Amino acid sequence: YDVELETLRMLADRREELTRHRVQTINRLHRLLAELTPGRSKKDLTALQAKAILAGVRPRDLAGKTRRRLAVELLAELVAVDKKIKASTKELKVMVQARGSRLMDLPGVGPVVAARILADVGDVARFADRNRFASWTGTAPLDASSGEQIRHRLSRAGNRKVNHMLHIAAASQIRCDTPGRAYYGRKRTAGKTKLEAMRCLKRRISDAVYRQLLA
């Protein structure tokens, strides 16, 4: 029983809860702002943007005033949860580094991704090789061919939380100028669909994570 890993798992779970709470808060805030200022409110709201919109809204009717008051309360909630998420990420980073992990050296792998991987993997020695590890992360391709059409799809098995972390890492690599983006581009040029190219990249990252955990 590894107390540090159990602590890391609890903190990673808590960070996920905070992120879900943030999304729900933004959605509720967005709905209110859309009613107060039709056409001005966008979906990926930041607290600063919401504050700026609310500063220019002065409804005169009771319903409008109530909407604004509720929006102000939600904005305060958003600011508070953002602060907690920032502190949580910082705490996870300290714990990941304290374990001597070099996972964050990999492009697209930040404290949140590294913490979840470490917490859920535990002892990497339980996986005989990178293929077994890929099967566990859900990045081992499954044959979905039909007739002469050779296709593969992602496995729905394995650890879904770690699979989601690898997806975040892959998306981050594609956004930035990384070897991962170049690899993804080569797969697309070779005729792979976006989903297939993403699958290839996630498997590539899974292998890199496995190597790093062994090291």
PDB file of all heavy atoms in Angstrom, residues 61-83:
ATOM      1  N   ASP A  61     -36.141  46.047 -14.923  1.00  0.00           N
ATOM      2  CA  ASP A  61     -37.265  45.234 -14.434  1.00  0.00           C
ATOM      3  C   ASP A  61     -36.778  44.223 -13.391  1.00  0.00           C
ATOM      4  O   ASP A  61     -35.587  43.922 -13.311  1.00  0.00           O
ATOM      5  CB  ASP A  61     -37.939  44.510 -15.603  1.00  0.00           C
ATOM      6  CG  ASP A  61     -36.983  43.561 -16.312  1.00  0.00           C
ATOM      7  OD1 ASP A  61     -35.921  44.037 -16.764  1.00  0.00           O
ATOM      8  OD2 ASP A  61     -37.269  42.357 -16.398  1.00  0.00           O
ATOM      9  N   LEU A  62     -37.699  43.692 -12.629  1.00  0.00           N
ATOM     10  CA  LEU A  62     -37.367  42.776 -11.531  1.00  0.00           C
ATOM     11  C   LEU A  62     -36.685  41.506 -12.031  1.00  0.00           C
ATOM     12  O   LEU A  62     -35.695  41.050 -11.444  1.00  0.00           O
ATOM     13  CB  LEU A  62     -38.631  42.408 -10.746  1.00  0.00           C
ATOM     14  CG  LEU A  62     -38.437  41.480  -9.540  1.00  0.00           C
ATOM     15  CD1 LEU A  62     -37.491  42.118  -8.517  1.00  0.00           C
ATOM     16  CD2 LEU A  62     -39.772  41.145  -8.893  1.00  0.00           C
ATOM     17  N   ALA A  63     -37.207  40.933 -13.115  1.00  0.00           N
ATOM     18  CA  ALA A  63     -36.620  39.694 -13.657  1.00  0.00           C
ATOM     19  C   ALA A  63     -35.167  39.928 -14.077  1.00  0.00           C
ATOM     20  O   ALA A  63     -34.281  39.117 -13.790  1.00  0.00           O
ATOM     21  CB  ALA A  63     -37.439  39.197 -14.843  1.00  0.00           C
ATOM     22  N   GLY A  64     -34.934  41.060 -14.748  1.00  0.00           N
ATOM     23  CA  GLY A  64     -33.583  41.393 -15.188  1.00  0.00           C
ATOM     24  C   GLY A  64     -32.637  41.609 -14.020  1.00  0.00           C
ATOM     25  O   GLY A  64     -31.495  41.147 -14.033  1.00  0.00           O
ATOM     26  N   LYS A  65     -33.132  42.314 -13.000  1.00  0.00           N
ATOM     27  CA  LYS A  65     -32.307  42.562 -11.805  1.00  0.00           C
ATOM     28  C   LYS A  65     -31.960  41.252 -11.098  1.00  0.00           C
ATOM     29  O   LYS A  65     -30.837  41.079 -10.597  1.00  0.00           O
ATOM     30  CB  LYS A  65     -33.045  43.499 -10.845  1.00  0.00           C
ATOM     31  CG  LYS A  65     -33.091  44.944 -11.310  1.00  0.00           C
ATOM     32  CD  LYS A  65     -33.881  45.810 -10.345  1.00  0.00           C
ATOM     33  CE  LYS A  65     -33.926  47.272 -10.821  1.00  0.00           C
ATOM     34  NZ  LYS A  65     -34.745  48.119  -9.934  1.00  0.00           N
ATOM     35  N   THR A  66     -32.933  40.344 -11.053  1.00  0.00           N
ATOM     36  CA  THR A  66     -32.695  39.039 -10.416  1.00  0.00           C
ATOM     37  C   THR A  66     -31.659  38.239 -11.198  1.00  0.00           C
ATOM     38  O   THR A  66     -30.761  37.627 -10.612  1.00  0.00           O
ATOM     39  CB  THR A  66     -34.015  38.234 -10.318  1.00  0.00           C
ATOM     40  OG1 THR A  66     -34.975  39.015  -9.610  1.00  0.00           O
ATOM     41  CG2 THR A  66     -33.795  36.920  -9.587  1.00  0.00           C
ATOM     42  N   ARG A  67     -31.785  38.261 -12.528  1.00  0.00           N
ATOM     43  CA  ARG A  67     -30.812  37.562 -13.375  1.00  0.00           C
ATOM     44  C   ARG A  67     -29.406  38.108 -13.126  1.00  0.00           C
ATOM     45  O   ARG A  67     -28.447  37.344 -13.017  1.00  0.00           O
ATOM     46  CB  ARG A  67     -31.157  37.737 -14.859  1.00  0.00           C
ATOM     47  CG  ARG A  67     -32.241  36.826 -15.352  1.00  0.00           C
ATOM     48  CD  ARG A  67     -32.307  36.796 -16.868  1.00  0.00           C
ATOM     49  NE  ARG A  67     -33.516  36.129 -17.315  1.00  0.00           N
ATOM     50  CZ  ARG A  67     -34.645  36.736 -17.650  1.00  0.00           C
ATOM     51  NH1 ARG A  67     -34.722  38.059 -17.607  1.00  0.00           N
ATOM     52  NH2 ARG A  67     -35.691  36.051 -18.041  1.00  0.00           N
ATOM     53  N   ARG A  68     -29.294  39.426 -13.059  1.00  0.00           N
ATOM     54  CA  ARG A  68     -27.979  40.033 -12.851  1.00  0.00           C
ATOM     55  C   ARG A  68     -27.406  39.644 -11.490  1.00  0.00           C
ATOM     56  O   ARG A  68     -26.213  39.331 -11.368  1.00  0.00           O
ATOM     57  CB  ARG A  68     -28.059  41.561 -12.970  1.00  0.00           C
ATOM     58  CG  ARG A  68     -26.683  42.213 -12.979  1.00  0.00           C
ATOM     59  CD  ARG A  68     -26.737  43.743 -13.034  1.00  0.00           C
ATOM     60  NE  ARG A  68     -25.412  44.284 -13.213  1.00  0.00           N
ATOM     61  CZ  ARG A  68     -24.488  44.372 -12.243  1.00  0.00           C
ATOM     62  NH1 ARG A  68     -24.767  43.940 -11.014  1.00  0.00           N
ATOM     63  NH2 ARG A  68     -23.294  44.884 -12.490  1.00  0.00           N
ATOM     64  N   ARG A  69     -28.259  39.648 -10.450  1.00  0.00           N
ATOM     65  CA  ARG A  69     -27.785  39.283  -9.109  1.00  0.00           C
ATOM     66  C   ARG A  69     -27.292  37.829  -9.073  1.00  0.00           C
ATOM     67  O   ARG A  69     -26.237  37.542  -8.513  1.00  0.00           O
ATOM     68  CB  ARG A  69     -28.913  39.478  -8.083  1.00  0.00           C
ATOM     69  CG  ARG A  69     -28.523  39.051  -6.666  1.00  0.00           C
ATOM     70  CD  ARG A  69     -29.595  39.414  -5.653  1.00  0.00           C
ATOM     71  NE  ARG A  69     -30.874  38.803  -5.947  1.00  0.00           N
ATOM     72  CZ  ARG A  69     -31.189  37.531  -5.652  1.00  0.00           C
ATOM     73  NH1 ARG A  69     -30.313  36.749  -5.065  1.00  0.00           N
ATOM     74  NH2 ARG A  69     -32.391  37.065  -5.928  1.00  0.00           N
ATOM     75  N   LEU A  70     -28.049  36.939  -9.716  1.00  0.00           N
ATOM     76  CA  LEU A  70     -27.647  35.534  -9.765  1.00  0.00           C
ATOM     77  C   LEU A  70     -26.350  35.365 -10.559  1.00  0.00           C
ATOM     78  O   LEU A  70     -25.496  34.542 -10.211  1.00  0.00           O
ATOM     79  CB  LEU A  70     -28.763  34.683 -10.386  1.00  0.00           C
ATOM     80  CG  LEU A  70     -30.054  34.563  -9.574  1.00  0.00           C
ATOM     81  CD1 LEU A  70     -31.106  33.793 -10.364  1.00  0.00           C
ATOM     82  CD2 LEU A  70     -29.794  33.878  -8.234  1.00  0.00           C
ATOM     83  N   ALA A  71     -26.219  36.146 -11.634  1.00  0.00           N
ATOM     84  CA  ALA A  71     -25.005  36.094 -12.447  1.00  0.00           C
ATOM     85  C   ALA A  71     -23.790  36.561 -11.642  1.00  0.00           C
ATOM     86  O   ALA A  71     -22.701  35.986 -11.744  1.00  0.00           O
ATOM     87  CB  ALA A  71     -25.167  36.941 -13.706  1.00  0.00           C
ATOM     88  N   VAL A  72     -23.968  37.595 -10.829  1.00  0.00           N
ATOM     89  CA  VAL A  72     -22.884  38.103  -9.976  1.00  0.00           C
ATOM     90  C   VAL A  72     -22.465  37.024  -8.965  1.00  0.00           C
ATOM     91  O   VAL A  72     -21.276  36.820  -8.699  1.00  0.00           O
ATOM     92  CB  VAL A  72     -23.321  39.392  -9.242  1.00  0.00           C
ATOM     93  CG1 VAL A  72     -22.317  39.764  -8.154  1.00  0.00           C
ATOM     94  CG2 VAL A  72     -23.450  40.550 -10.247  1.00  0.00           C
ATOM     95  N   GLU A  73     -23.454  36.308  -8.414  1.00  0.00           N
ATOM     96  CA  GLU A  73     -23.162  35.225  -7.461  1.00  0.00           C
ATOM     97  C   GLU A  73     -22.382  34.098  -8.148  1.00  0.00           C
ATOM     98  O   GLU A  73     -21.415  33.567  -7.588  1.00  0.00           O
ATOM     99  CB  GLU A  73     -24.466  34.675  -6.880  1.00  0.00           C
ATOM    100  CG  GLU A  73     -25.144  35.614  -5.887  1.00  0.00           C
ATOM    101  CD  GLU A  73     -26.497  35.090  -5.418  1.00  0.00           C
ATOM    102  OE1 GLU A  73     -26.837  33.922  -5.719  1.00  0.00           O
ATOM    103  OE2 GLU A  73     -27.221  35.855  -4.743  1.00  0.00           O
ATOM    104  N   LEU A  74     -22.803  33.754  -9.361  1.00  0.00           N
ATOM    105  CA  LEU A  74     -22.103  32.703 -10.113  1.00  0.00           C
ATOM    106  C   LEU A  74     -20.697  33.130 -10.498  1.00  0.00           C
ATOM    107  O   LEU A  74     -19.771  32.315 -10.515  1.00  0.00           O
ATOM    108  CB  LEU A  74     -22.903  32.333 -11.372  1.00  0.00           C
ATOM    109  CG  LEU A  74     -24.126  31.450 -11.151  1.00  0.00           C
ATOM    110  CD1 LEU A  74     -24.954  31.353 -12.431  1.00  0.00           C
ATOM    111  CD2 LEU A  74     -23.721  30.053 -10.690  1.00  0.00           C
ATOM    112  N   LEU A  75     -20.534  34.416 -10.805  1.00  0.00           N
ATOM    113  CA  LEU A  75     -19.208  34.935 -11.126  1.00  0.00           C
ATOM    114  C   LEU A  75     -18.270  34.787  -9.931  1.00  0.00           C
ATOM    115  O   LEU A  75     -17.116  34.372 -10.081  1.00  0.00           O
ATOM    116  CB  LEU A  75     -19.301  36.406 -11.551  1.00  0.00           C
ATOM    117  CG  LEU A  75     -17.973  37.117 -11.826  1.00  0.00           C
ATOM    118  CD1 LEU A  75     -17.169  36.399 -12.901  1.00  0.00           C
ATOM    119  CD2 LEU A  75     -18.231  38.572 -12.240  1.00  0.00           C
ATOM    120  N   ALA A  76     -18.777  35.084  -8.733  1.00  0.00           N
ATOM    121  CA  ALA A  76     -17.974  34.925  -7.509  1.00  0.00           C
ATOM    122  C   ALA A  76     -17.605  33.457  -7.304  1.00  0.00           C
ATOM    123  O   ALA A  76     -16.485  33.127  -6.891  1.00  0.00           O
ATOM    124  CB  ALA A  76     -18.764  35.450  -6.309  1.00  0.00           C
ATOM    125  N   GLU A  77     -18.553  32.575  -7.638  1.00  0.00           N
ATOM    126  CA  GLU A  77     -18.319  31.130  -7.540  1.00  0.00           C
ATOM    127  C   GLU A  77     -17.223  30.705  -8.508  1.00  0.00           C
ATOM    128  O   GLU A  77     -16.362  29.885  -8.180  1.00  0.00           O
ATOM    129  CB  GLU A  77     -19.620  30.402  -7.885  1.00  0.00           C
ATOM    130  CG  GLU A  77     -19.930  29.220  -6.990  1.00  0.00           C
ATOM    131  CD  GLU A  77     -21.299  28.623  -7.282  1.00  0.00           C
ATOM    132  OE1 GLU A  77     -22.308  29.254  -6.915  1.00  0.00           O
ATOM    133  OE2 GLU A  77     -21.344  27.545  -7.891  1.00  0.00           O
ATOM    134  N   LEU A  78     -17.274  31.263  -9.723  1.00  0.00           N
ATOM    135  CA  LEU A  78     -16.287  30.938 -10.760  1.00  0.00           C
ATOM    136  C   LEU A  78     -14.889  31.384 -10.346  1.00  0.00           C
ATOM    137  O   LEU A  78     -13.908  30.645 -10.510  1.00  0.00           O
ATOM    138  CB  LEU A  78     -16.691  31.590 -12.084  1.00  0.00           C
ATOM    139  CG  LEU A  78     -15.743  31.387 -13.270  1.00  0.00           C
ATOM    140  CD1 LEU A  78     -15.568  29.913 -13.585  1.00  0.00           C
ATOM    141  CD2 LEU A  78     -16.266  32.134 -14.503  1.00  0.00           C
ATOM    142  N   VAL A  79     -14.795  32.587  -9.803  1.00  0.00           N
ATOM    143  CA  VAL A  79     -13.502  33.111  -9.337  1.00  0.00           C
ATOM    144  C   VAL A  79     -12.935  32.203  -8.240  1.00  0.00           C
ATOM    145  O   VAL A  79     -11.738  31.865  -8.232  1.00  0.00           O
ATOM    146  CB  VAL A  79     -13.651  34.562  -8.810  1.00  0.00           C
ATOM    147  CG1 VAL A  79     -12.385  35.007  -8.098  1.00  0.00           C
ATOM    148  CG2 VAL A  79     -13.977  35.513  -9.954  1.00  0.00           C
ATOM    149  N   ALA A  80     -13.803  31.757  -7.325  1.00  0.00           N
ATOM    150  CA  ALA A  80     -13.375  30.900  -6.212  1.00  0.00           C
ATOM    151  C   ALA A  80     -12.901  29.535  -6.713  1.00  0.00           C
ATOM    152  O   ALA A  80     -11.859  29.026  -6.268  1.00  0.00           O
ATOM    153  CB  ALA A  80     -14.523  30.728  -5.220  1.00  0.00           C
ATOM    154  N   VAL A  81     -13.637  28.954  -7.661  1.00  0.00           N
ATOM    155  CA  VAL A  81     -13.262  27.628  -8.152  1.00  0.00           C
ATOM    156  C   VAL A  81     -11.990  27.697  -9.004  1.00  0.00           C
ATOM    157  O   VAL A  81     -11.160  26.785  -8.976  1.00  0.00           O
ATOM    158  CB  VAL A  81     -14.428  26.959  -8.932  1.00  0.00           C
ATOM    159  CG1 VAL A  81     -14.580  27.476 -10.334  1.00  0.00           C
ATOM    160  CG2 VAL A  81     -14.254  25.441  -8.962  1.00  0.00           C
ATOM    161  N   ASP A  82     -11.810  28.790  -9.739  1.00  0.00           N
ATOM    162  CA  ASP A  82     -10.574  28.988 -10.510  1.00  0.00           C
ATOM    163  C   ASP A  82      -9.363  29.024  -9.576  1.00  0.00           C
ATOM    164  O   ASP A  82      -8.307  28.460  -9.876  1.00  0.00           O
ATOM    165  CB  ASP A  82     -10.642  30.285 -11.325  1.00  0.00           C
ATOM    166  CG  ASP A  82     -11.390  30.115 -12.644  1.00  0.00           C
ATOM    167  OD1 ASP A  82     -11.635  28.966 -13.039  1.00  0.00           O
ATOM    168  OD2 ASP A  82     -11.727  31.137 -13.273  1.00  0.00           O
ATOM    169  N   LYS A  83      -9.540  29.690  -8.449  1.00  0.00           N
ATOM    170  CA  LYS A  83      -8.463  29.791  -7.455  1.00  0.00           C
ATOM    171  C   LYS A  83      -8.122  28.403  -6.885  1.00  0.00           C
ATOM    172  O   LYS A  83      -6.951  28.050  -6.719  1.00  0.00           O
ATOM    173  CB  LYS A  83      -8.903  30.737  -6.330  1.00  0.00           C
ATOM    174  CG  LYS A  83      -7.798  31.134  -5.369  1.00  0.00           C
ATOM    175  CD  LYS A  83      -8.313  32.158  -4.360  1.00  0.00           C
ATOM    176  CE  LYS A  83      -7.207  32.525  -3.365  1.00  0.00           C
ATOM    177  NZ  LYS A  83      -7.696  33.493  -2.349  1.00  0.00           N
TER     178      LYS A  83
END
